[in-house]
Structure formats: C-alpha cells, structure tokens
Amino acid sequence: MSDLLLDVKNLKTRFRTDDGTFFAVDDVSFQVRRGRTLGIVGESGCGKSVTSLSVMRLIQNPGEIAQGQVNFEGRDLLKLPEQQMRAIRGNDIAMIFQEPMTSLNPVFTIGNQIDEAIKEHNPKMTADQVRERTIGILRKVGIPAPEQRYKEYPHQLSGGMRQRVMIAMAISCDPKLLIADEPTTALDVTIQAQILDLMRKLQQDFQAGMILITHDLGVVAEMCQDVIVMYAGKIVEQGTVEDIFYRPRHPYTKGLLDSIPHFETGHKLDRLQTIPGLVPSLLDIPPACRFQDRCPYVQERCRVEYPELRALNDTQVVSCHFPLNGDKA
Amino acid sequence: MSETLLKVDQLVKSFPITGGLWGREVASVKAVQNVSFEVKRGETLGLVGESGCGKSTLGRCVIRLIDPTSGTVTFKGQDITRVQGEGLRELRKKMQIIFQDPYASLNPRMTIGAVLEEPLLIHGLFPSAKDRKDRVRELIRLVGLRDEHLSRYPHEFSGGQRQRVGIARALAVGPELIVCDEPVSALDVSIQAQVINLLMDLQQKLGLTYLFIAHDLKVVEHVSTRVAVMYLGKIVEIAESEELYKNPLHPYTKALLSAIPIPDPRRREERIILHGDVPSPVNPPPGCHFNPRCPLASEECRQTAPELKSYGQDHWASCLKIKAST
C-alpha cells in the first residue's frame, strides 16, 4: 500500500508528575494515507494533542514517549537521532497550532519567520529566492498585498490573517503530512469558514496527508474522511466519517453527537441529550472500561474487563463489550 | 407573557482612545451604536455576532455594569439609565450576570459557600445566619451540586461545575433578568449540554428572563425565543429564532448561518464565504457597516446607512438590498 504515509503503532506517552504517573496516550494505533484527512476528536484531556505532539516528537519533560512506533514512510521516527528528526520536522511533517498569536514570534516580521523555515530546510537557496518563495506562499494562502505583509509584524495582523501566516509557514516546505491542532478554534465562524476552505484547497493541491485535531464535530464532518474518537487517553472508536456520524457504535461517540444542538430539528427548546458526569482524571481512571461511570448501558463485564478494540467491519473499530446497533442518533 | 421587562432605546456606548502629550481623546471605539430592542418577561433573547461586534458591551450596559454613553434602558417601566447609589443596588437584585470564564469569575480564596453567601450579605437578604445557610444550601442543590461542595474552593471543581456555581451565585438574590455572557463557550460539548439544560430548567422553574449572548449560533438557536444578530455595533437583524434560521434576510445573517460547520458529512454544501475581516470599530466603514464584505453591496450601500425595517411578523432587518434580492 504505497499511499500509506504514517503508521502509528501502540503509542504510549507517559507523564510523571508529583501526584503520580499517568498515560496521556495509552496504546494508540492509527494510520494516515496520502491525500486523506484523519480527524481526532475528543474532549479536553482525552490525549488528542499529546498524540500529535508525540508523532512530532515534541513531548517535553515531565512527559516522555514510553513505547510504540511512529512509522513515517517506512522509517520509525522514534528511533531517529534528534538531528535527523529536525530535518523531518517542518519539512516532511509540519504543524499548525491553535493559538496563532502565541505561535508567532512578536519581534520578527512574518516574512522573516517564514524565510527562516525555508532557509533551515533549503540551505542552498539565496536570500532573494527565499524571499520570492515566501511571498509566493503568502499569496497562495490568500494574504492580500503579500509584499507589504512580508514586512509586517504579527501584532499588525488580525487573528484570521495570523492563522493564514501559520499555514503559510507550515506549507512553506511542501510537507507530506500536515498536523493541524484546533486550527480554527480561536477564530470567528466566518473566518473559520475561510480557513477551512483554504486548508481543503491546499490539501487538494499538495495531496498531503492531514491530521486534524478538533473538538468540533461540525469541522470533522466537513473536513475529514477518517475519524478517531478518543476518551481518557484511549481510542474508543475509529472509522470513516460516515461510520462515525451515521452508525456510531460506541456509547461515548453517540453521546457526543447527541449533545450538540442541531439545526432544523423541530425540537427547539427541548432538552439536549447529555453525557452524565465528568471526564475521569487520568490519575484516577476506572479499571476496565474508562467510560463505565458515564455510560448509560454499563454492565458488570464493563467494570472488570477492558474492552479491547475490535473490528466490526472493514472500516469500523470499537472498544466496547456491548456496541450499539449503529442506528443513527 | 407579553409584558415587556426590558426596553433598550437608541443605546450608544463608545470608549475613548486617548493619546498625545495631554492624553486627549484622539478617537473612540464605537462599540454599540443606536441599538434598540425589547425583552419580554420569561423569554430568552439571543444575541449573536463575532468578536468585537459589541454584544458583551451591550449586555453590560443593559445591567449597568458599564454606563452607556447615550440612550435609555428601561426595566419594568423604570428608566434605569442614570440610576445611582442605593437605587442601583436595588436594581442589582433584579438583574444579574453569568460570565464566560468560570475560572476567572470566582475568587480562588473563597469557599463556594462564601461565594454564594456574599450576595445575600451585601443585599441584606436573609438576615438570620441560619436562614442564610439554608438559602445557600437551596441554591447549591438548585444547580445540581451537593452540600459537601460548599466547603470546597473553586480550584477543586471542573469547568462545568464552576459554571454551575456562577449560575447559583447569580440566582442568589432572586433576579428576574439574567445576562448570560457566553456561559458555555469555555466548556466541552458534553458538559455544555448539561449547563444549557440547567439554564433552561431554571428558566421554567423560576420564570427567569435571559439575555443570552454567544457566538455559537447552534447554542443560541437552541435556547432562544428570539435572536438578534449584531455586526460592528449594530443590530442587523432580529426575529423569532425559528424564523431567523429558516428565513434569514440580511446577507450577514445568511453568511453567518452558512459558515457553521454542520455535523453531517453528506451535507458538505457550498458555503457563502465572506472575504476579509470585520473592520475596526474605531473607523467603521461609511454607509452600511457590512458593505466591504457584502456580496450584494452597491454604491448606495457605501453611502446610506440602512435602518431596521419590518419584514413580516416581528422580523426586522437593516439592509437596502433585501427587496431586490428576495
């Protein structure tokens, strides 16, 4: 299968804190193919961001990758020396973060910052060539008057423009894999629509693989072909976007889908379906199924035996002893 | 049900920008410009718009947390725009606010019990200590928490629980109107649904009136009886919530509705994608404020500022192009 780009196997990322050690990502496996977008969804603290940082090997103390493989084009990134990893970061795999203001350096012009990324990975290019390329990329991401903007500082740009600059920086070296961590969460809806549209077009151009991390199921439905649902460090369900939205089999996935207000349901002013209780602390996760305390269908077996991920059909995988029958919400 | 609880007329709020050697006013941020609307008892008026459109400023002017520059706010038939001192304190018992950030709006050094007791002390409600304790216990149960939570500190709670505390605090003095300023924006979806349900239950139980401010149109549609859409300091459209979502008239409302990602993979429809950003409220564009981003804008839109006009039952919009386009 030549279009397989990223193959993560049994990834575990551990954090050691004063209160104890926990696995923010616990035995997670997934694949990303060229030209496809994988969505990782889940609520705060479910491990979706740590998963992406682990792929980039950007986990810092007190965290560490405890085990697993991150195979990128056949090479296990976790085994590479840091020097080689640097050459891959930003070049083959690039990342877009949520907060464009804190991810840009306020004391350098945006042109300067994109130049730097290009120079780092293309040491032979002349300064003029680099500048040319930067301006070309700024134009591509839809920044008006790029020659002018090249000389401006991050604070002179609006939130949406800054996020475009972040995207420009990420695509400056034609990455094969793009990881976007909540790329539109800080933006207003009309700006979000612009950015999502841009990301979709760019992906079509580049035929890159993409991992999109978000808590917004609407964004997932719009952007992704494959979806992973995470809960308390574990994958609870995995499938195509249609599997997840039309035939959710894990009670948590269904709970998430039910708890968003829908348009045009005609049930206005009705109560929303909720998932009772709270996400468990990772320091104090229930044994066996992690969702047991919030699950409406919990049974004795859920409290004693962990539900291993199992395939229900060619595309859909679920971690539940008693998967739902897959009727739409 | 039809009694008007709150009436806002031609409300203006601008914040001065000072500069130069003498700190003179060099410009002003026109946060809210000539906004008028009414809220009836028992209903929820949703207020939506993007960041910087003035929705929070408007919410705060209404309950006199900040003073409006001009215009009037009438609450239960009384002009409260210039009320001061004891009168204002009386007013606070009737109008309360729930803030967005449950982390920043609770004093980290006070137990939840103390947080809930404070408004009762300030307003001299329930003078006997025992009654006060009973009231605090009643409040904490009302929002779905338990008595043992009263002795804990805010950091021991999750975001959703803190927001419940914020709601309990607002309810402590028995208000009639509550301004909910992005009450669920900081919460995860499953928790968001819990808090929305709680707000709606409380409204039924206590007959509350809400001014519900949010940028999430799905949430606003779900909770509101009527919805007002703001853009750059002005209300551009206001209607019954169902009517607004089914039959939006203003091009901005249309674009805003179309921009929402729908959690349904088969409906990846073409969206109306607005170009550019929201202009600065320091220097709003002449004519219709929306004209630089509007797909229908023409010369007259750049010159004439449209007024809100009625289009059918309780449906108002301010756009010169509506007749031409519908």
Side-chain angles (χ1 to χ4, degrees):
Chain A
M1 232 183 272
S2 64
D3 61 348
L4 181 63
L5 194 60
L6 182 75
D7 186 10
V8 174
K9 283 188 180 148
N10 308 97
L11 182 71
K12 281 188 171 200
T13 303
R14 174 169 55 206
F15 283 79
R16 295 175 201 270
T17 67
D18 291 346
D19 298 326
T21 300
F22 63 87
F23 288 92
V25 173
D26 197 352
D27 206 10
V28 162
S29 305
F30 60 88
Q31 299 179 332
V32 183
R33 293 172 197 286
R34 243 177 276 276
R36 285 177 81 90
T37 301
L38 170 76
I40 304 184
V41 282
E43 299 177 278
S44 346
C46 72
K48 51 193 195 299
S49 291
V50 174
T51 302
S52 68
L53 291 171
S54 301
V55 169
M56 290 286 268
R57 270 181 54 188
L58 287 172
I59 297 291
Q60 287 181 336
N61 246 331
E64 60 179 342
I65 297 169
Q67 73 166 63
Q69 292 177 15
V70 178
N71 297 307
F72 177 71
E73 296 191 303
R75 277 192 295 177
D76 184 359
L77 298 184
L78 301 183
K79 295 210 174 75
L80 290 185
E82 180 57 27
Q83 197 63 36
Q84 287 180 32
M85 191 60 215
R86 279 196 67 142
I88 287 177
R89 247 183 244 133
N91 197 23
D92 293 320
I93 310 180
M95 202 156 173
I96 303 168
F97 295 93
Q98 170 175 359
E99 246 317 314
M101 193 61 213
T102 50
S103 321
L104 291 169
N105 190 330
V107 299
F108 290 102
T109 63
I110 59 165
N112 210 317
Q113 295 184 57
I114 300 174
D115 284 355
E116 191 188 345
I118 298 174
K119 266 186 276 183
E120 172 74 26
H121 295 290
N122 302 281
K124 291 198 187 102
M125 281 172 88
T126 66
D128 280 348
Q129 284 171 326
V130 171
R131 185 172 182 278
E132 197 94 323
R133 181 151 164 194
T134 298
I135 290 174
I137 291 164
L138 288 174
R139 186 170 290 121
K140 193 175 233 158
V141 297
I143 289 182
E147 291 85 359
Q148 182 58 36
R149 295 294 186 181
Y150 181 89
K151 289 178 261 174
E152 290 185 345
Y153 291 87
H155 75 267
Q156 292 169 289
L157 306 178
S158 67
M161 281 297 160
R162 278 184 218 134
Q163 198 56 292
R164 284 175 195 269
V165 170
M166 286 301 297
I167 294 173
M169 202 180 290
I171 63 166
S172 63
C173 296
D174 300 338
K176 295 169 185 152
L177 176 67
L178 196 60
I179 302 178
D181 189 352
E182 303 269 9
T184 56
T185 306
L187 307 174
D188 281 315
V189 268
T190 61
I191 310 295
Q192 166 170 294
Q194 294 173 359
I195 298 289
L196 293 180
D197 189 52
L198 169 69
M199 287 175 55
R200 222 178 352 233
K201 283 186 184 136
L202 289 172
Q203 194 192 15
Q204 278 162 14
D205 286 2
F206 285 98
Q207 279 301 302
M210 182 148 79
I211 300 178
L212 180 69
I213 295 164
T214 177
H215 67 278
D216 187 333
L217 291 160
V219 172
V220 173
E222 194 162 303
M223 299 286 291
C224 304
Q225 288 90 41
D226 306 297
V227 183
I228 289 175
V229 182
M230 285 186 75
Y231 186 78
K234 291 271 192 189
I235 292 179
V236 293
E237 187 163 6
Q238 190 169 355
T240 65
V241 71
E242 301 224 332
D243 289 336
I244 299 293
F245 281 84
Y246 298 130
R247 297 173 291 278
R249 306 293 293 271
H250 196 286
Y252 178 64
T253 313
K254 183 156 190 324
L256 272 187
L257 287 168
D258 287 347
S259 56
I260 33 179
H262 283 260
F263 276 143
E264 308 140 36
T265 47
H267 303 302
K268 224 178 81 58
L269 305 183
D270 273 4
R271 292 178 63 85
L272 291 171
Q273 301 282 319
T274 65
I275 305 174
L278 304 169
V279 181
S281 155
L282 287 171
L283 285 164
D284 184 25
I285 34 177
C289 178
R290 296 183 176 188
F291 189 57
Q292 52 174 282
D293 293 335
R294 303 178 74 191
C295 183
Y297 312 104
V298 64
Q299 301 197 24
E300 202 39 49
R301 189 176 167 200
C302 308
R303 304 199 191 275
V304 289
E305 187 189 340
Y306 180 77
E308 292 298 335
L309 277 173
R310 58 191 168 116
L312 296 169
N313 51 47
D314 288 350
T315 51
Q316 201 166 4
V317 174
V318 72
S319 142
C320 182
H321 291 308
F322 307 102
L324 304 171
N325 60 17
D327 290 341
K328 205 199 167 226
Chain B
M1 182 71 180
S2 59
E3 182 202 346
T4 299
L5 188 69
L6 178 80
K7 189 168 186 292
V8 174
D9 195 27
Q10 295 291 316
L11 195 81
V12 175
K13 176 68 193 177
S14 46
F15 296 99
I17 300 173
T18 52
L21 186 54
W22 314 111
R24 271 174 311 161
E25 183 176 333
V26 290
S28 65
V29 180
K30 296 151 196 92
V32 175
Q33 296 183 46
N34 302 318
V35 166
S36 306
F37 62 90
E38 286 181 8
V39 186
K40 297 194 177 69
R41 183 181 289 279
E43 79 167 353
T44 301
L45 177 69
L47 203 53
V48 288
E50 298 179 275
S51 7
C53 72
K55 54 191 192 300
S56 288
T57 305
L58 179 58
R60 275 152 215 231
C61 281
V62 163
I63 60 164
R64 293 287 316 277
L65 277 183
I66 49 180
D67 287 328
T69 308
S70 69
T72 56
V73 181
T74 316
F75 181 69
K76 294 171 85 180
Q78 180 202 356
D79 182 355
I80 58 162
T81 325
R82 301 284 164 223
V83 174
Q84 290 298 335
E86 195 52 40
L88 190 60
R89 191 193 301 246
E90 277 303 306
L91 199 61
R92 296 265 185 261
K93 275 195 254 179
K94 302 284 167 226
M95 308 169 122
Q96 283 287 323
I97 184 164
I98 300 167
F99 295 100
Q100 167 173 8
D101 189 346
Y103 296 81
S105 56
L106 297 174
N107 186 336
R109 298 178 183 207
M110 282 165 82
T111 63
I112 299 309
V115 166
L116 295 182
E117 196 176 356
E118 197 176 33
L120 303 177
L121 289 167
I122 290 172
H123 290 286
L125 300 164
F126 303 94
S128 104
K130 186 187 166 296
D131 290 352
R132 229 169 23 236
K133 294 284 180 235
D134 286 347
R135 171 70 176 159
V136 167
R137 272 198 290 276
E138 182 191 343
L139 285 167
I140 200 86
R141 288 178 200 154
L142 198 57
V143 296
L145 297 174
R146 292 187 301 274
D147 289 1
E148 69 250 35
H149 289 129
L150 289 172
S151 54
R152 298 193 191 158
Y153 288 89
H155 75 263
E156 297 174 73
F157 291 87
S158 67
Q161 289 174 319
R162 274 181 240 208
Q163 199 56 289
R164 285 173 191 268
V165 174
I167 294 169
R169 178 178 59 186
L171 293 173
V173 294
E176 293 171 44
L177 173 76
I178 298 186
V179 173
C180 308
D181 191 357
E182 303 265 14
V184 295
S185 314
L187 307 175
D188 276 319
V189 272
S190 73
I191 308 299
Q192 185 172 323
Q194 293 174 6
V195 173
I196 291 172
N197 282 342
L198 173 68
L199 285 170
M200 293 175 76
D201 289 346
L202 289 170
Q203 178 167 40
Q204 281 210 321
K205 209 182 280 178
L206 307 172
L208 298 169
T209 307
Y210 291 140
L211 181 61
F212 194 97
I213 302 169
H215 67 274
D216 185 332
L217 287 104
K218 280 180 294 207
V219 170
V220 169
E221 197 253 350
H222 186 80
V223 301
S224 305
T225 347
R226 287 186 305 137
V227 175
V229 181
M230 281 188 81
Y231 187 78
L232 218 59
K234 289 187 174 175
I235 290 181
V236 296
E237 186 161 4
I238 181 166
E240 297 268 330
S241 139
E242 232 181 295
E243 163 76 6
L244 186 90
Y245 285 82
K246 277 201 190 123
N247 182 25
L249 293 175
H250 197 284
Y252 178 63
T253 313
K254 286 182 183 168
L256 205 55
L257 287 172
S258 140
I260 305 169
I262 298 169
D264 182 347
R266 282 182 203 143
R267 291 194 42 196
R268 297 182 183 180
E269 54 205 68
E270 272 304 303
R271 308 193 172 281
I272 307 170
I273 293 187
L274 292 177
H275 296 285
D277 292 315
V278 182
S280 153
V282 178
N283 235 334
C288 172
H289 284 179
F290 186 56
N291 82 66
R293 300 176 77 194
C294 182
L296 308 175
S298 67
E299 197 45 44
E300 64 171 335
C301 301
R302 283 181 266 278
Q303 283 161 6
T304 323
E307 300 283 325
L308 276 173
K309 276 192 199 136
S310 172
Y311 298 89
Q313 177 82 35
D314 229 1
H315 193 156
W316 298 73
S318 72
C319 175
L320 300 172
K321 292 288 174 195
I322 289 177
K323 275 220 182 79
S325 63
T326 48

